[in-house]
Amino acid sequence: MKILVHLHLNHEEQLNFMLDRLKNINNCEYDLYVTLYNDREEINNKILSFKKDAKVIKVENIGNDTYPFLKVIRMVSLADYDYVIKLNTLEYKPLKIYYGRIFKGFEQRNLLVDALIGSKQRFKNNLKILQDKTIGLLASKYFILSVSKYSNNDKRFNFKKFKSRLNIEKGSKDFVLGSMFMIRAELLNILRDSTIVESDFSLEQNNNKRGTYVDGVDRGFLSLVVSQGYSVYPIRNKMFPIMQLLKYQLVQGFFRKKKQIQRIRKIFSAENVDVHKVITILGLKIKFKSRKLIIRQQFKNLENKIEELKLLNEETKKEYSSKLQNIAMAVSNDLYKKNKNARILVCLHLFYMHEWEAIKEYLDNLSCYNYDLIVTCVDGFYDEETLDKVREYKPDVQIKIYGNQGYDIGAFIDILNTIDLDKYDIVYKLHSKGWNRPFIYIYNQIFKYKDWFYNLFNGLLAPMSVHIVVDKLLNDNKIGIVAADNLIINDPKHKQSFTKNIAGKYGIQLKDNYKYIAGSCFAIKAECLKQIQNLHITIEDFEITKRGTFSLAHALERIVCAGIEPMGYEFYGIAVNHPTYEEERKEREQNSALRLLDDDRFEIDYDFFYRYLELKNISSYRITTIKLKDVKRNWHRTVMSLTDVAPYKFLQNGNPEEYSKYCEKNNQENGYDMNVDKFQALIDNINNNGFNSKNLPIINSENVILDGQHRSCVLLHKYGPEYEMPVLEVTIEKPAKKGK
């Protein structure tokens, strides 16, 4: 038995998941063909190390996963194979509404893939099923859907066009949503030998236009099977979550049937909403103790950005966005009526101008309240076209331009000096959180691309969240600040030290293990900001933005949040959908550099740790000794011995000019603040008190010194090259590049 496996790797960051599942193909021979858009050596090597005879093929971005599949089956001899497994990657979405179904994260991908190769036993069972010669194709039961019911007119037209082109008179009425399945190889001969060519597929489908030919081919795979006298076997590999079924019923109501949409609109136009009545109309014959609570839970799961509904055109998106807002308003009707006169100020720092359209969709959810909007931008990083859109959206907006200093918090603090906080009950602090970073592990969480942005804004301005935020801050005397719950965190000890030192300079005392909002988007009681306002800090107090240093801006974003607790207020977290990436998270937690700070055998300079080690993947570390002659220094990508570095030469010749130039350059490039006087103080300390055995120089596994160069040079000058110096050796692993 031999199997052909085709994996279309549109999202390269999902390769680890796919390779893990491919391990479940056992007790048979198989060939692996992987198609992708980018020819990257790192990805190629990983695939070939997994299966050395795998074929990696770069393809044009045409036809989604369908045309690459057609290309592969035309490259091989299908007669050499018994079965073909078609796999592809699906984009991660915090929440995706697709053909009336709601998926969180990778739910759709996981169900489709796991139905085929989710475990060795699952794969073995599938082979047994295919021993029935009447079965031609296997796929997940939950994604075998009706073409007529789940396709618009354009897609049905292309489906008929596909069948006509392949002379299929009677085919299946269903298709596999997501296009992953296991099929008898011989059944693909018709497709392989067809006249379908690359030019039949346009790039339109990759821009999410409707009605391209790829839609017809996707919907035609089951017809290929049925037209040749075989049946389709639905794999029920996992129970569909009960909440999924509830959400499905709810979304069907206003996304699929016009009559139900009108019915819901009529229901929610009433002053007093009977939530139980809504559930009954949607066919859910369930009684709940707290009916409104259940419906609110539905909308917590519906917190999303409507622009992510690629299925819809712009006009339809706006229509459905309005529906979500109206339904959320109806569910939260009591909250809105109680709080409709809330006085709200929104301060938005718009550094990434391309994010305005996404942020605007969130601000729409606040539109039922009367709010003022101040937008700050950075000189040299804004465009008038986007600012005109902002003015068109809210004509009374105030727009202010700042220099590139203080990040988002600098502009916010400066704005506070111009505001009469007594005029407001609530202040929203927002900024355009960058979403191009493929991967970051921080605060024991993993964020990829837009994850952090979604968490920040869903926690504050999603259709249901916005009403809860306003109510909590307006009516709960204990709550001082609200944000996404997973972003309310405690700082590690080195950042606490930095923050408390700066806070102390302004007469502010923060408690140990204070809390703050990672990402610095929150809603806060206006009165809580008076403490910050009274500091009279202006934009001129902030340094030019420079990565790698813990600045006044970093401290103040913590002080603004943590400062509410000494006033007697508490944090309140709004639950958001955040992917856990559990396997990756556990790996990074195990190798986190933060564990070095908890080892009391040595002390690490906090500045060095923040600049260099904090986000590194430390697979192992140990205390050891090394002869000074073996210690290396990497300076401007040149590896040299300690006898060639500037600090040692200064000890030898006493020439301060050359050393001072080195210190200035090192400070500019790496942020190390050293000079002749500080070096002399270090020399005197070692001469008078000896070497501090806890303050160890740090080297990597290649004996390159990372921290403690000056101390090492003093010991070399004092004791010579054979002296064995105690060091902390760390092994830093470069993790595989992660993705969306």
Side-chain angles (χ1 to χ4, degrees):
M1 180 186 300
K2 191 174 183 181
I3 296 175
L4 169 64
V5 178
H6 171 236
L7 166 61
H8 182 59
L9 196 64
N10 185 19
H11 301 284
E12 295 174 354
E13 72 282 353
Q14 297 180 33
L15 177 59
N16 287 342
F17 170 84
M18 287 298 186
L19 295 182
D20 181 67
R21 292 301 189 269
L22 287 170
K23 292 176 184 176
N24 295 323
I25 299 178
N26 61 100
N27 296 326
C28 69
E29 183 183 355
Y30 76 96
D31 289 337
L32 174 61
Y33 282 72
V34 180
T35 52
L36 36 71
Y37 299 141
N38 300 309
D39 187 11
R40 291 181 51 212
E41 184 178 357
E42 179 186 355
I43 297 297
N44 294 352
N45 290 342
K46 184 173 286 190
I47 295 170
L48 294 175
S49 65
F50 173 79
K51 189 169 175 43
K52 63 183 180 180
D53 62 346
K55 303 293 189 299
V56 182
I57 305 164
K58 182 182 177 182
V59 295
E60 295 297 320
N61 189 4
I62 294 175
N64 290 347
D65 53 279
T66 303
Y67 181 69
F69 178 70
L70 178 58
K71 189 170 184 175
V72 167
I73 64 174
R74 284 174 172 169
M75 293 174 61
V76 302
S77 171
L78 287 174
D80 294 339
Y81 301 99
D82 296 286
Y83 308 112
V84 176
I85 297 177
K86 181 181 179 299
L87 304 170
N88 59 81
T89 54
L90 298 177
E91 184 179 3
Y92 170 85
K93 298 282 187 179
L95 202 73
K96 180 177 182 181
I97 305 178
Y98 200 38
Y99 293 113
R101 297 193 174 198
I102 297 180
F103 304 103
K104 294 186 298 181
F106 288 120
E107 280 182 352
Q108 183 184 4
R109 179 203 68 182
N110 294 350
L111 284 167
L112 282 162
V113 174
D114 288 351
L116 305 174
I117 53 173
S119 66
K120 291 183 178 180
Q121 186 61 48
R122 175 73 271 161
F123 178 73
K124 184 178 179 181
N125 290 346
N126 288 344
L127 292 180
K128 286 184 178 179
I129 292 170
L130 287 168
Q131 289 177 5
D132 183 340
K133 300 301 183 181
T134 66
I135 295 173
L137 181 145
L138 309 173
S140 173
K141 167 186 172 66
Y142 309 111
F143 300 97
I144 299 176
L145 306 178
S146 165
V147 173
S148 61
K149 188 174 181 181
Y150 293 97
S151 304
N152 57 41
N153 290 335
D154 292 330
K155 292 178 180 178
R156 286 195 291 270
F157 170 79
N158 280 293
F159 171 58
K160 291 178 181 178
K161 180 179 174 183
F162 169 79
K163 290 201 301 180
S164 174
R165 193 157 175 182
L166 269 65
N167 297 316
I168 298 175
E169 295 184 4
K170 292 184 179 180
S172 173
K173 297 180 180 179
D174 298 329
F175 73 105
V176 179
L177 177 63
S179 195
M180 297 191 219
F181 47 76
M182 184 172 180
I183 187 173
R184 292 186 185 277
E186 64 197 66
L187 300 182
L188 292 170
N189 286 325
I190 296 176
L191 180 61
R192 182 200 60 193
D193 299 334
S194 70
T195 59
I196 298 173
V197 293
E198 180 177 328
S199 59
D200 290 313
F201 300 90
S202 74
L203 284 172
E204 289 181 325
Q205 72 276 2
N206 294 312
N207 294 321
N208 297 295
K209 304 290 184 183
R210 297 169 69 176
T212 56
Y213 195 60
V214 70
D215 299 313
V217 180
D218 275 347
R219 282 157 176 74
F221 283 115
L222 300 195
S223 288
L224 280 176
V225 174
V226 173
S227 66
Q228 297 179 70
Y230 289 85
S231 63
V232 174
Y233 190 94
I235 302 293
R236 187 172 182 173
N237 57 310
K238 184 179 178 181
M239 283 295 292
F240 219 50
I242 184 65
M243 286 302 294
Q244 177 75 299
L245 296 176
L246 292 172
K247 288 184 289 186
Y248 174 72
Q249 292 292 328
L250 182 63
V251 176
Q252 280 287 86
F254 60 90
F255 273 86
R256 295 299 309 165
K257 297 179 182 178
K258 187 174 180 181
K259 289 183 179 179
Q260 290 187 0
I261 292 174
Q262 293 172 342
R263 194 177 300 163
I264 289 175
R265 185 182 295 147
K266 181 178 180 181
I267 292 167
F268 282 116
S269 66
E271 282 294 319
N272 298 312
V273 179
D274 184 346
V275 178
H276 180 260
K277 184 177 182 181
V278 176
I279 297 176
T280 303
I281 288 175
L282 293 179
L284 304 179
K285 306 289 187 179
I286 305 172
K287 292 185 178 181
F288 301 101
K289 291 182 179 179
S290 176
R291 298 175 185 125
K292 275 193 177 178
L293 184 61
I294 295 299
I295 292 297
R296 283 177 183 155
Q297 182 61 43
Q298 299 296 315
F299 277 92
K300 281 186 180 179
N301 293 321
L302 279 174
E303 288 171 354
N304 61 85
K305 286 176 23 40
I306 296 301
E307 71 171 19
E308 293 299 322
L309 301 181
K310 305 297 186 183
L311 169 69
L312 308 174
N313 59 36
E314 289 301 320
E315 184 178 346
T316 312
K317 287 178 191 175
K318 291 179 181 178
E319 179 186 352
Y320 287 155
S321 179
S322 176
K323 284 186 175 72
L324 272 180
Q325 293 162 22
N326 291 338
I327 294 176
M329 271 281 293
V331 173
S332 302
N333 194 43
D334 293 342
L335 293 181
Y336 171 68
K337 286 197 295 185
K338 182 170 62 171
N339 303 320
K340 64 182 179 180
N341 295 321
R343 301 172 302 166
I344 300 172
L345 171 65
V346 177
C347 297
L348 167 63
H349 186 64
L350 193 59
F351 182 83
Y352 300 105
M353 307 299 285
H354 63 276
E355 294 183 18
W356 165 247
E357 292 299 326
I359 293 172
K360 181 183 70 174
E361 297 292 341
Y362 281 103
L363 289 175
D364 283 345
N365 298 324
L366 192 63
S367 60
C368 55
Y369 298 95
N370 183 24
Y371 70 92
D372 292 333
L373 176 63
I374 298 176
V375 174
T376 57
C377 306
V378 175
D379 192 18
F381 292 87
Y382 71 91
D383 64 83
E384 284 295 340
E385 183 180 351
T386 300
L387 295 186
D388 286 342
K389 292 180 181 179
V390 175
R391 295 184 185 100
E392 181 182 354
Y393 178 76
K394 194 160 176 59
D396 61 349
V397 64
Q398 297 181 51
I399 298 178
K400 300 193 177 185
I401 311 298
Y402 286 92
N404 191 17
Q405 55 200 106
Y407 300 91
D408 56 283
I409 197 74
F412 177 69
I413 298 297
D414 194 75
I415 286 292
L416 285 182
N417 295 324
T418 68
I419 294 170
D420 181 358
L421 289 171
D422 290 330
K423 291 183 178 180
Y424 299 101
D425 303 303
I426 299 167
V427 176
Y428 272 84
K429 183 204 166 294
L430 308 172
H431 68 97
S432 53
K433 183 68 176 176
W435 59 35
N436 290 325
R437 180 157 27 191
F439 178 97
I440 183 173
Y441 171 78
I442 191 168
Y443 302 116
N444 201 24
Q445 298 180 71
I446 288 176
F447 300 93
K448 299 182 181 182
Y449 290 98
K450 298 182 182 181
D451 287 347
W452 208 334
F453 174 88
Y454 283 134
N455 287 177
L456 288 165
F457 280 81
N458 282 338
L460 296 171
L461 289 168
M464 278 294 294
S465 300
V466 65
H467 303 293
I468 299 172
V469 170
V470 172
D471 186 62
K472 286 294 179 183
L473 290 173
L474 209 58
N475 300 303
D476 193 327
N477 294 329
K478 293 181 180 179
I479 305 302
I481 194 168
V482 181
D485 61 347
N486 66 308
L487 300 177
I488 300 174
I489 57 90
N490 302 109
D491 253 341
K493 59 177 66 174
H494 66 297
K495 290 182 180 177
Q496 287 194 49
S497 175
F498 295 147
T499 302
K500 287 182 179 180
N501 286 339
I502 294 176
K505 294 177 182 178
Y506 290 95
I508 297 175
Q509 299 298 317
L510 300 179
K511 73 174 193 176
D512 292 338
N513 212 28
Y514 60 77
K515 296 177 182 178
Y516 98 104
I517 314 300
S520 195
C521 287
F522 51 79
I524 188 171
K525 275 184 165 69
E527 64 187 73
C528 292
L529 292 171
K530 291 183 178 180
Q531 171 183 246
I532 303 299
Q533 195 178 56
N534 292 335
L535 298 177
H536 303 295
I537 297 173
T538 70
I539 194 67
E540 300 305 323
D541 293 308
F542 294 91
E543 301 173 353
I544 299 297
T545 297
K546 182 179 179 182
R547 300 288 177 182
T549 58
F550 194 93
S551 64
L552 175 62
H554 293 98
L556 279 172
E557 70 174 338
R558 289 159 168 80
I559 293 169
V560 169
C561 301
I564 71 162
E565 292 183 300
M567 300 179 193
Y569 291 110
E570 299 174 359
F571 287 72
Y572 184 84
I574 301 286
V576 296
N577 292 312
H578 176 69
T580 60
Y581 307 110
E582 192 60 20
E583 291 183 9
E584 295 173 71
R585 189 200 64 77
K586 285 181 179 178
E587 176 191 345
R588 294 308 296 264
E589 181 182 26
Q590 181 180 351
N591 296 334
S592 171
L594 290 173
R595 69 190 196 278
L596 274 63
L597 296 180
D598 296 325
D599 194 323
D600 58 9
R601 294 177 297 165
F602 49 81
E603 296 174 354
I604 296 180
D605 178 75
Y606 283 168
D607 283 323
F608 163 75
F609 185 85
Y610 177 75
R611 277 194 306 268
Y612 187 80
L613 277 185
E614 180 181 13
L615 299 180
K616 293 290 193 296
N617 207 37
I618 308 295
S619 60
S620 64
Y621 68 92
R622 63 173 181 157
I623 295 174
T624 185
T625 59
I626 184 173
K627 289 184 178 182
L628 288 167
K629 68 178 183 180
D630 296 326
V631 177
K632 305 170 188 175
R633 162 76 159 128
N634 189 335
W635 176 246
H636 287 176
R637 297 186 179 180
T638 299
V639 177
M640 59 184 69
S641 68
L642 287 181
T643 55
D644 296 323
V645 301
Y648 185 75
K649 289 180 178 179
F650 172 70
L651 289 168
Q652 291 289 85
N653 59 35
N655 182 358
E657 292 183 7
E658 182 181 350
Y659 175 70
S660 295
K661 289 180 182 178
Y662 162 79
C663 289
E664 183 179 352
K665 193 172 187 66
N666 200 19
N667 189 17
Q668 290 174 349
E669 295 179 358
N670 304 309
Y672 287 96
D673 183 16
M674 197 65 175
N675 55 46
V676 172
D677 292 337
K678 288 184 177 181
F679 192 14
Q680 188 60 55
L682 174 64
I683 296 168
D684 294 340
N685 182 273
I686 293 177
N687 287 334
N688 296 330
N689 303 311
F691 179 77
N692 184 345
S693 60
K694 294 198 74 171
N695 193 9
L696 299 173
I698 301 175
I699 65 172
N700 66 17
S701 54
E702 297 175 346
N703 294 342
V704 175
I705 195 156
L706 306 176
D707 185 46
Q709 175 192 203
H710 285 78
R711 281 167 281 158
S712 302
C713 287
V714 173
L715 294 178
L716 176 61
H717 181 68
K718 191 176 179 68
Y719 299 115
E722 295 295 327
Y723 180 78
E724 293 194 0
M725 175 178 68
V727 294
L728 174 63
E729 180 189 295
V730 296
T731 301
I732 301 173
E733 288 190 0
K734 199 169 185 179
K737 214 169 194 180
K738 310 295 181 180
K740 297 175 188 176

